[in-house]
Amino acid sequence: MENEKLRATPAARSLAHRMGIELNQIVGSGYKGRIHREDVANFTYIERAGVTPLARKIAEAHNINVEELKGTGFRGKVTRADVLAAVGETGEPNLERILDAFTIPSPERKKTNFATPGKNEAPEMKAPAAASAAAPSASAEPKGDVEIVPMNMMRRVIAKRMSESYFSAPTFVLNYEVDMGEASKLRAQLMEPIKEKTGKKLTVTDIVSLAVVRTLMNHPYINASLSPDGSQIELHNYVNLAMAVGMDEGLLVPVVHRAEKMGLTELMLRLKDITERAVGKKLTPADQEGSTFTISNLGMYGVESFTSIINQPNSAILSIAGTKEMPVVRNGEVVIRPIMKMSLTSDHRVINGLAAAKFMQELKATLENPLPLLV
């Protein structure tokens, strides 16, 4: 009955039942933590992470089989707390046996005896007692107020996904500077006509997004995904563009599907629509699924440069910083130009350095001469 209270699609429940997986062990990726079939399928590829050395030593000291313990650490890793909890069920922890397991023989370090000390051991016991006497004065320092805020489902999902991405994907980052002079001119020319037609304001992000989509179609490995078991690469002949939208509660990554079929105005309207619905928390599960590439833009906050963690199963993510007037050399002369910094974080299992550099080189050239985007 507990599983029925969880938010899960029928396909996810069916697959979990066939595979013998409890739904309450899975963090859903859908709206409000709803569990999808892919979450159940991917769960089987996350192997148990093992046991920490300290946990194993304590378990051996108390004859506890760590294989029977359910770990609470990252990816189910058995930690010291898990073993001590198991020890607490069978009796008090044997501190002497635990310390014996970690005693390092040394002339300067003698094994501590937790039994009643003899005459020769009395001097050794005085030093800890003196230290204990001094401890209260050190802990008596006033501490500031601490507010404990429980993680909501959105942040829990973000934490799980970002940790898995960071620890599973070997990444590398390429940094580029782009002269946004021509792109700024194009935006100025198109802003009023587009606003009269749609009522919406064209932004630099819209132009960059269109350039990214067009460039991705020429570089399939940048727009690829790695299969859950890591044995296959899926090359997409379409672009489902995701846009990271940050809020106080967390981060959402809504998706514009089949963006390669859209012109500038249509893509602009779709980006604004999903962004507004993300902020208003009105996204559907379908709005957040199926991305092939992600853009993260912090330029409006004055960020000069940054790198992002890949939004898996994507193989790359583009970070866009702010545009800043900077001195650059053009034709042997120093001139002031609007320069935007961008970086590409790539999964080295799918993308090599040459492929990433060619993509960024073409994207830079497209943004510095954006007029063909309208053709």
Side-chain angles (χ1 to χ4, degrees):
M1 295 296 293
E2 183 179 353
N3 282 350
E4 295 179 1
K5 298 179 182 179
L6 296 173
R7 296 174 60 86
T9 64
R13 293 183 185 276
S14 175
L15 181 60
H17 177 72
R18 294 200 307 269
M19 303 186 71
I21 298 175
E22 293 292 334
L23 287 175
N24 56 16
Q25 298 179 12
I26 303 173
V27 176
S29 60
Y31 181 63
K32 290 187 177 181
R34 189 175 190 182
I35 301 172
H36 290 267
R37 186 181 186 279
E38 292 78 8
D39 300 323
V40 179
N42 290 340
F43 181 82
T44 63
Y45 292 107
I46 301 177
E47 298 180 354
R48 182 165 172 166
V51 187
T52 65
L54 178 57
R56 185 176 295 280
K57 287 291 185 181
I58 298 175
E60 291 174 354
H62 289 80
N63 298 320
I64 292 177
N65 185 4
V66 292
E67 299 300 328
E68 298 178 354
L69 300 182
K70 181 178 180 181
T72 60
F74 178 67
R75 290 188 177 177
K77 194 165 193 174
V78 176
T79 66
R80 164 182 164 274
D82 301 323
V83 177
L84 289 178
V87 171
E89 296 177 359
T90 58
E92 293 296 323
N94 189 325
L95 298 181
E96 183 175 1
R97 291 168 68 187
I98 294 175
L99 207 61
D100 281 346
F102 282 89
T103 299
I104 302 176
S106 170
E108 299 178 358
R109 180 178 176 180
K110 297 181 179 180
K111 186 177 75 172
T112 303
N113 189 351
F114 286 86
T116 304
K119 293 181 180 180
N120 295 333
E121 297 166 338
E124 291 186 70
M125 299 300 292
K126 292 181 180 179
S132 300
S137 62
S139 61
E141 297 181 2
K143 297 181 180 180
D145 294 335
V146 176
E147 180 182 1
I148 305 300
V149 180
M151 292 181 71
N152 58 27
M153 179 57 69
M154 184 186 301
R155 286 200 179 276
R156 286 166 58 189
V157 172
I158 294 169
K160 178 178 180 293
R161 286 186 169 181
M162 292 298 98
S163 296
E164 290 177 354
S165 178
Y166 184 83
F167 289 110
S168 66
T171 61
F172 65 94
V173 180
L174 300 183
N175 299 291
Y176 278 73
E177 293 185 351
V178 182
D179 188 334
M180 296 296 289
E182 295 302 317
S184 299
K185 290 180 182 178
L186 180 63
R187 174 175 175 262
Q189 293 172 349
L190 297 176
M191 187 179 300
E192 285 304 319
I194 290 179
K195 190 173 183 179
E196 289 180 5
K197 182 179 179 180
T198 66
K200 302 294 183 180
K201 183 178 179 181
L202 179 69
T203 66
V204 172
T205 302
D206 300 324
I207 296 176
V208 173
S209 298
L210 182 63
V212 167
V213 171
R214 298 288 173 82
T215 307
L216 282 172
M217 294 303 293
N218 298 327
H219 300 270
Y221 279 88
I222 311 299
N223 192 46
S225 299
L226 188 68
S227 64
D229 63 356
S231 64
Q232 295 177 325
I233 297 175
E234 301 173 0
L235 302 179
H236 309 293
N237 58 2
Y238 56 88
V239 177
N240 288 347
L241 182 66
M243 184 67 64
V245 179
M247 299 175 292
D248 292 338
E249 299 88 347
L251 179 73
L252 292 175
V253 192
V255 183
V256 175
H257 295 88
R258 301 311 299 255
E260 82 285 353
K261 295 181 176 296
M262 301 178 185
L264 178 60
T265 302
E266 184 180 1
L267 180 60
M268 178 199 75
L269 292 175
R270 288 288 294 120
L271 286 171
K272 293 189 185 319
D273 174 60
I274 61 170
T275 300
E276 291 170 1
R277 288 194 287 118
V279 174
K281 300 177 183 177
K282 297 180 180 179
L283 293 173
T284 66
D287 291 327
Q288 303 173 73
E289 297 175 348
S291 67
T292 61
F293 187 85
T294 304
I295 294 176
S296 179
N297 185 1
L298 292 177
M300 65 287 292
Y301 299 104
V303 176
E304 294 187 3
S305 65
F306 71 105
T307 57
S308 302
I309 297 176
I310 295 174
N311 175 36
Q312 291 183 341
N314 298 175
S315 295
I317 183 171
L318 182 71
S319 305
I320 301 175
T323 300
K324 183 179 180 180
E325 297 287 335
M326 296 179 62
V328 296
V329 177
R330 293 288 186 270
N331 299 322
E333 297 181 355
V334 177
V335 296
I336 304 299
R337 301 293 298 171
I339 301 299
M340 179 188 76
K341 294 183 180 181
M342 60 183 183
S343 67
L344 183 74
T345 306
S346 302
D347 186 339
H348 219 326
R349 295 173 299 178
V350 179
I351 304 169
N352 59 37
L354 179 61
K358 287 183 176 180
F359 168 78
M360 291 293 280
Q361 188 178 47
E362 182 176 335
L363 178 59
K364 171 182 168 70
T366 301
L367 289 172
E368 293 182 344
N369 181 30
L371 192 58
L373 290 173
L374 304 180
V375 178

